[in-house]
Amino acid sequence: MSAVESQVGMTDLIPCSDQCGGSYDTYSFTQTEKEVNILVPLTPGTTSKQLTVELTPTHLKIGLKGKSPILDGTVYKPIKASESTWTIEDKKLLTVTLIKTNLKYEEWWPCVVEGERQIDMKTLKPPAVNMMDLDEGAQAKIARMMFDQDQKRKGLPTSDALLYP
């Protein structure tokens, strides 16, 4: 392997999907600022008794009993394991929902478990957030920033100048 080929392998990023995730050979994932959804296609007719799904705050293991795991490793960031869930849809798709722990800050994962190929975070386009979906403190901060920006544009004093003359 040439030096160029080995460099390409090291920066081999997965294209980011419209849902802020990526696709691998055996599964795909999507995410929001609050959760990561892992989608694993299954052989039609697969039941929950045939699966192994283990979730802890720092580790994830998904697979079919008696076979090598599909996903097994330390999650990119800690999760709320007690709030995370998994379901089988139509006996052919396993959906695992991991609840992120850092909900106060918008946080996007480049991968589900450490050491796997990462998505190209430069192409990540988080969905727009409606201001009404934010908590009251964030709404107040944005309203103040908008007020200050408008005041500056008009050449008038900002909120700080009005509060502390």
Side-chain angles (χ1 to χ4, degrees):
M1 182 185 311
S2 72
V4 172
E5 286 173 324
S6 81
Q7 265 188 330
V8 170
M10 292 178 72
T11 59
D12 192 17
L13 299 174
I14 295 172
C16 188
S17 73
D18 291 343
Q19 296 167 325
C20 305
S23 293
Y24 298 83
D25 292 339
T26 55
Y27 74 96
S28 62
F29 82 97
T30 63
Q31 65 182 313
T32 66
E33 67 277 0
K34 296 177 181 173
E35 63 187 35
V36 174
N37 291 296
I38 303 162
L39 308 166
V40 182
L42 301 170
T43 304
T46 301
T47 66
S48 61
K49 291 179 181 177
Q50 296 171 294
L51 296 172
T52 297
V53 180
E54 297 173 15
L55 305 171
T56 72
T58 58
H59 193 267
L60 169 69
K61 184 175 183 178
I62 300 171
L64 290 165
K65 290 182 180 170
K67 296 191 178 183
S68 295
I70 294 166
L71 199 53
D72 186 8
T74 302
V75 288
Y76 179 73
K77 293 277 185 167
I79 60 168
K80 293 182 178 180
S82 62
E83 295 177 27
S84 298
T85 60
W86 63 274
T87 60
I88 298 175
E89 298 175 31
D90 301 325
K91 293 189 175 186
K92 62 182 178 184
L93 180 69
L94 171 64
T95 302
V96 180
T97 301
L98 307 177
I99 305 300
K100 295 177 179 178
T101 55
N102 197 2
L103 300 181
K104 286 188 177 185
Y105 304 98
E106 194 171 292
E107 183 175 79
W108 300 96
W109 293 14
C111 58
V112 177
V113 295
E114 292 177 0
E116 71 182 341
R117 286 177 56 209
Q118 297 186 357
I119 60 172
D120 187 354
M121 296 299 281
K122 291 179 184 170
T123 61
L124 180 88
K125 293 183 181 124
V129 176
N130 185 329
M131 189 167 150
M132 300 313 286
D133 292 337
L134 300 174
D135 64 49
E136 290 179 21
Q139 287 183 33
K141 190 177 278 189
I142 291 170
R144 182 175 179 174
M145 289 168 54
M146 290 170 67
F147 173 81
D148 287 345
Q149 192 174 42
D150 189 49
Q151 290 291 93
K152 285 180 184 177
R153 200 174 15 254
K154 293 176 182 174
L156 299 172
T158 63
S159 55
D160 280 342
L162 291 170
L163 289 171
Y164 312 105

